[in-house]
Amino acid sequence: MKAVQFEKIGGPEVLKVVDIPKPEVRPGMVLIRNHAAGLNFADTFFIRGEYAIKPRLPDIPGMEGSGVVEAVGEGVEGIKPGMRVAAISQRTYAEYILASAKFVFPIPDNVSFEEGAAFPIQTLTAWHMLHTVEKVKPGHTVVVHSAAGGVGIVAVQIAKAAGARVIGTVSQDGKAAVVREYGGDEVLNYETQDFAAEVMRITNKRGADIILDAVGKPTFEKGVKCLAPLGHLILYGRGSGLPDPFNVARLMEKSTRISGFVLPVVYGTELMRAGVDGSFALMREGKLKMVVGKTYPLAGAPDALRFLSSRGSVGKLVLQA
Ligand SMILES: NC(=O)c1ccc[n+]([C@@H]2O[C@H](COP(=O)([O-])OP(=O)(O)OC[C@H]3O[C@@H](n4cnc5c(N)ncnc54)[C@H](OP(=O)(O)O)[C@@H]3O)[C@@H](O)[C@H]2O)c1
């Protein structure tokens, strides 16, 4: 099979398309003829050796994909050859992926493989922050940073579907239109505007009930400042660096909360199923669409990762395998 492999850690330039044997199905696992792999910002950390999971060289990046089930291992129930599925796994920048059956989700016929590949990580991350870590509801004001990005544009839609007022932030004005198109009530440029002051102005000095922050250092402190009483900032990434150390006593000023979120905490739990069902329900109702910003062939993986790091991308970038 063709796969995108790297033999040494580094930037996108270390990625090369190679021909290697396809994986063999094992008990509890599903072999998928992969048609599309979703790119995640974390892939850029993975190939640099800076992600929680370290590469075992030579290794293949990729955490999610979508295709047709080719074979299932002993003990797998409910997933059959020929099914169209999306999956969370490892080494998904490849024509075949092997995934644990627990992380394989059948996709509806009207969902393309590109949309399927865009679904698992970004949608479940956004869904669990808003419905598991928090309970977003009508009347809430939700600030979504990097709102035009993969997780961001889904979070905007899920918050909107729950009846919240959504303030999206972006670092480039050109990305504002797509945030509005998918439900952003207000869009701020956090590079050129004081977003905390703007959030206070827009909310008549009350502040935001929920802030979803994966930017980190430049947005975290200001975010705490513009939380409403009892408001909650969820930190789930560090695109622009880790936040500075923070004095938690400041949380008493307005009874606010800060928490962190990483998707793997729900893997293999009942919550995982709730997130998949809840997200597909929103998709069926037309309240949640996967936004595939750009597709690339496998050989385009270096360019795709460069584009993801450039801050210019909108929605999800997908490799077609
Ligand atoms: N905790 C979890 O389980 C989890 C799961 C998935 C993703 N994440 C995190 O969520 C964030 C979004 O992930 P994604 O895969 O959907 O990517 P993405 O949003 O499609 O792309 C990354 C975006 O991050 C923003 N960004 C901020 N500072 C940046 C910098 N210094 N360099 C490059 N981009 C920067 C950019 O938007 P603006 O410039 O407009 O802000 C950029 O478009 C990432 O930080 C990722 O690590 C966390």
Side-chain angles (χ1 to χ4, degrees):
M1 69 166 181
K2 296 217 178 322
V4 178
Q5 202 178 59
F6 60 111
E7 290 182 344
K8 54 178 185 187
I9 60 169
E13 71 285 350
V14 298
L15 300 177
K16 305 270 179 292
V17 175
V18 292
D19 245 311
I20 53 171
K22 68 179 181 187
E24 279 179 26
V25 72
R26 300 198 304 265
M29 308 291 279
V30 177
L31 180 68
I32 300 163
R33 170 62 181 98
N34 192 30
H35 289 290
L39 267 79
N40 286 285
F41 197 69
D43 300 341
T44 64
F45 292 125
F46 180 68
I47 61 171
R48 289 203 306 261
E50 293 169 8
Y51 188 60
I53 300 170
K54 302 296 172 205
R56 283 185 291 165
L57 298 172
D59 212 334
I60 297 168
M63 301 174 172
E64 60 194 339
S66 181
V68 178
V69 174
E70 178 140 313
V72 299
E74 206 182 300
V76 172
E77 284 171 15
I79 309 276
K80 300 210 175 339
M83 271 184 167
R84 300 172 78 254
V85 294
I88 294 177
S89 186
Q90 287 178 302
R91 307 187 177 90
T92 65
Y93 288 15
E95 287 179 334
Y96 286 87
I97 56 182
L98 192 60
S100 162
K102 282 188 279 189
F103 301 125
V104 176
F105 322 111
I107 55 170
D109 286 344
N110 62 346
V111 172
S112 69
F113 292 128
E114 287 73 18
E115 291 165 330
F119 167 79
I121 291 181
Q122 66 178 29
T123 310
L124 296 177
T125 299
W127 196 92
H128 284 294
M129 286 193 289
L130 290 164
H131 287 295
T132 304
V133 181
E134 253 299 337
K135 301 282 176 218
V136 62
K137 60 181 187 191
H140 272 163
T141 296
V142 180
V143 172
V144 179
H145 287 303
S146 303
V151 177
I153 202 70
V154 171
V156 166
Q157 297 176 73
I158 294 175
K160 192 72 190 168
R165 169 161 64 165
V166 182
I167 303 175
T169 78
V170 291
S171 68
Q172 297 173 14
D173 290 339
K175 297 196 272 189
V178 74
V179 179
R180 286 209 178 81
E181 183 186 341
Y182 284 90
D185 297 292
E186 308 275 351
V187 187
L188 305 171
N189 182 330
Y190 70 87
E191 290 282 349
T192 58
Q193 289 174 287
D194 179 344
F195 81 83
E198 285 299 306
V199 167
M200 294 310 281
R201 181 187 62 76
I202 291 164
T203 58
N204 294 325
K205 300 196 179 132
R206 189 172 164 275
D209 300 286
I210 303 172
I211 299 181
L212 306 184
D213 187 352
V215 178
K217 193 174 172 75
T219 47
F220 178 81
E221 282 267 349
K222 285 186 179 177
V224 175
K225 251 198 227 168
C226 68
L227 280 172
L230 300 171
H232 187 180
L233 186 152
I234 304 171
L235 184 71
Y236 71 104
R238 52 179 170 103
S240 275
L242 286 169
D244 291 327
F246 177 77
N247 179 357
V248 290
R250 280 186 46 202
L251 300 178
M252 289 190 291
E253 289 166 14
K254 288 193 278 180
S255 293
T256 47
R257 281 174 296 155
I258 298 171
S259 61
F261 180 75
V262 284
L263 185 62
V265 294
V266 303
Y267 286 176
T269 69
E270 285 293 308
L271 289 170
M272 177 98 173
R273 177 49 51 198
V276 172
D277 291 348
S279 306
F280 278 141
L282 288 177
M283 285 166 81
R284 274 196 305 276
E285 290 163 22
K287 293 179 179 164
L288 173 60
K289 293 196 176 89
M290 296 299 103
V291 181
V292 177
K294 205 164 173 192
T295 57
Y296 295 79
L298 282 183
D303 284 344
L305 281 182
R306 279 185 203 106
F307 189 40
L308 189 67
S309 303
S310 76
R311 313 180 77 150
S313 67
V314 160
K316 188 77 169 179
L317 303 184
V318 170
L319 297 180
Q320 286 166 323

